[in-house]
Amino acid sequence: MDKIEKKISFEKYTYEELNENDKACIQQSLQARSKAYAPYSTFSVGASLQMSNGEYILGNNQENRAYPSGLCAERVALFHFGANYPDGIIKTLTITANNKVGNYKEMIKPCGSCLQVIAEYELKQEQKIRIILYSDTNQVLIAEGVENFLPMIFLF
Ligand SMILES: [Zn+2]
């Protein structure tokens, strides 16, 4: 029997400790979050993608009364990127969430389906994506690459 161990790594910051670029990524994701369509969960998620040319693509959760028809903020942004910038490079994905009353204190993590989609774009562009999670309590987690969330990526 062989034992396989994988290490995951995150850096934890406060918002004030970040550089201006990371702060801008967070501000973009907050802007995206403010436009979420989440009438059923009342839980709004915003995602910003910063591309290598410095441009942003924003996404937010889009719910539907037929629940499975909705989509997460991350995949709204990632699929817009994939559809419109087939040769683009994603540098940073930044995610933030809060509920209607604004008392959600966690750093929202991408769901399993979104992680797999992030992994697909990393493989396609042959570059890791920096992932920033921000909570309204000013706490920030940063990971260099999706394997920190999904160590056993689906490959074939
Ligand atoms: Zn998701």
Side-chain angles (χ1 to χ4, degrees):
M1 188 272 282
D2 291 326
K3 188 171 185 180
I4 299 170
E5 293 187 353
K6 290 200 165 202
K7 185 179 172 192
I8 61 171
S9 175
F10 297 85
E11 294 174 352
K12 191 171 181 191
Y13 297 92
T14 63
Y15 179 82
E16 291 73 24
E17 292 176 310
L18 299 177
N19 65 35
E20 293 309 310
N21 189 66
D22 287 348
K23 285 180 181 173
C25 289
I26 288 170
Q27 291 305 317
Q28 291 288 324
S29 70
L30 287 167
Q31 192 184 331
R33 188 179 88 188
S34 72
K35 298 173 189 164
Y37 180 62
Y40 305 108
S41 70
T42 69
F43 189 78
S44 296
V45 184
S48 69
L49 297 179
Q50 187 182 44
M51 297 189 289
S52 58
N53 65 5
E55 285 181 38
Y56 291 96
I57 293 170
L58 304 185
N60 43 42
N61 50 329
Q62 295 294 312
E63 295 182 350
N64 192 284
R65 62 192 67 224
Y67 279 17
S69 301
L71 194 61
C72 301
E74 299 94 315
R75 276 180 287 160
V76 168
L78 288 161
F79 290 154
H80 179 86
F81 165 81
N84 293 285
Y85 302 88
D87 301 318
I89 300 287
I90 302 167
K91 300 294 283 186
T92 305
L93 165 62
T94 306
I95 311 159
T96 183
N98 213 327
N99 57 28
K100 194 176 179 179
V101 292
N103 65 0
Y104 182 72
K105 297 183 178 2
E106 298 300 315
M107 286 170 274
I108 191 84
K109 289 94 181 166
C111 77
S113 295
C114 287
L115 291 173
Q116 185 61 39
V117 172
I118 297 165
E120 185 75 23
Y121 286 111
E122 275 194 358
L123 290 165
K124 181 176 178 235
Q125 68 183 24
E126 299 179 340
Q127 258 187 60
K128 290 184 191 305
I129 297 173
R130 180 178 169 86
I131 300 173
I132 301 177
L133 311 180
Y134 172 73
S135 119
D136 286 3
T137 61
N138 278 342
Q139 298 299 302
V140 180
L141 273 186
I142 299 179
E144 303 293 340
V146 73
E147 79 274 10
N148 292 293
F149 294 90
L150 190 66
M152 299 296 271
I153 293 169
F154 172 73
L155 293 170
F156 62 88

